[in-house]
Amino acid sequence: MTTSDLYEAMRTQRAVRRIRPDPVPDDVLQRIFEAATYAPTGGNQQAWRMIAVTDPALKEQLGALYAGQWQPFSDNYRKAAETMDADAAAAMDRTLAAGDHLAANLGRVPVVVIVCFKPSGLAVTDIDQERVPVVGGGSIYPAVQNLMLAARAEGVGCVLTTLLCMSEPAVKKMLNIPDDWATAAMVPLGYSVGVGYGPISRKPVDKLFCQDQWDQAWDAHP
Ligand SMILES: Cc1cc2nc3c(=O)[nH]c(=O)nc-3n(C[C@H](O)[C@H](O)[C@H](O)COP(=O)(O)O)c2cc1C
C-alpha cells in the first residue's frame, strides 16, 4: 500500500457541496459501497444500512426536506458571520453559498445516500453516563468515513450531512425504513462542479492531542 495516497486523500477531503448531475458509473459506486462495508462496528454487528437514492422524484422530495432544514440553519450562520472578522466571514460566505447550492440542487445529485442504523444493534457502552451518548455512532460513522474516503479516491465528491435527521419521520416514510431503524446521515455523491477536493483547515496535532495528562500538550518532535 502507498501510505502517501491515503494521507493525501485524508488531507484533501474537504466538503464538496457543488455536485454535477452526471452519473457515477456503477463499478465506481460498487467500489465505494464495498469500502463502507469494511468499517469496524461494535461486536461486528454492522447494524447500519445505506439507501442509495437514485430515483429523481425521491431525490427531489429529499431535497425539499433538506432545504427546509438548511434555511433556518444557514440563516443563523449568516447572522453569526456579521460579527466575524473579514477573512472568517468570507470563508463562511463561501461555505453557505455552497450549502445553498446543495440544498437547491439535491434532486439533481446522481446518488443521495441515506445512512440508517438499528439502535438495538449498537453497543452503546456510554448509555448510563450523564451526558449525551456518542458511542453508538462509532458503529455507524466509520462506515460513512470509509465511503467518503473511497469516494475521494475515486474522484467522486461528497459531504457528510446530518440536517436531514431533523426530518427523520418523513424520510422514513418516504423510503419505507422500518420502525426499529433510524437515520444518521445523508451523503450526496457525484462529480464536483469545480475543483472539488483540496486543502482543508484544521487545528494542529498539538491543539488536539495531549500527553499523559489532559493539560499537557503532546510534545513529540520527530
Ligand atoms: C457530524 C457532521 C454533520 C454535518 N452536517 C452537515 C450538514 O447537515 N450540511 C452540510 O452542508 N454540511 C454538514 N457537515 C459538513 C461540515 O460542515 C464540514 O465537514 C466542515 O465544515 C468542514 O468543512 P471542510 O471539510 O470543507 O473543511 C457535517 C459534518 C459533520 C462531521
Side-chain angles (χ1 to χ4, degrees), residues 10-14 91 198-204:
M10 293 176 183
R11 196 168 34 236
T12 55
Q13 195 189 35
R14 67 182 175 199
I200 53 174
S201 158
R202 302 288 188 264
K203 293 185 174 82

Side-chain angles (χ1 to χ4, degrees), residues 12-17 66 70 73 77 95 98-100 102 141 148 159-165 184-186 198-202:
T12 55
Q13 195 189 35
R14 67 182 175 199
V16 175
R17 297 186 178 88
Y66 184 82
W70 171 256
F73 175 84
Y77 272 96
T95 298
D100 289 347
L102 178 65
Y141 295 108
M148 293 176 59
V159 55
L160 168 53
T161 77
T162 52
L163 279 173
L164 206 54
C165 295
M186 180 275 281
I200 53 174
S201 158
R202 302 288 188 264

Side-chain angles (χ1 to χ4, degrees), residues 52-77:
V53 182
T54 57
D55 178 274
L58 289 174
K59 289 186 296 179
E60 281 296 337
Q61 289 174 55
L62 289 171
L65 286 175
Y66 184 82
Q69 300 296 353
W70 171 256
Q71 194 58 58
F73 175 84
S74 57
D75 285 349
N76 282 339
Y77 272 96

Side-chain angles (χ1 to χ4, degrees), residues 203-217:
K203 293 185 174 82
V205 170
D206 64 354
K207 289 277 183 295
L208 296 172
F209 281 77
C210 310
Q211 187 163 1
D212 297 323
Q213 299 280 308
W214 175 263
D215 50 1
Q216 285 174 197

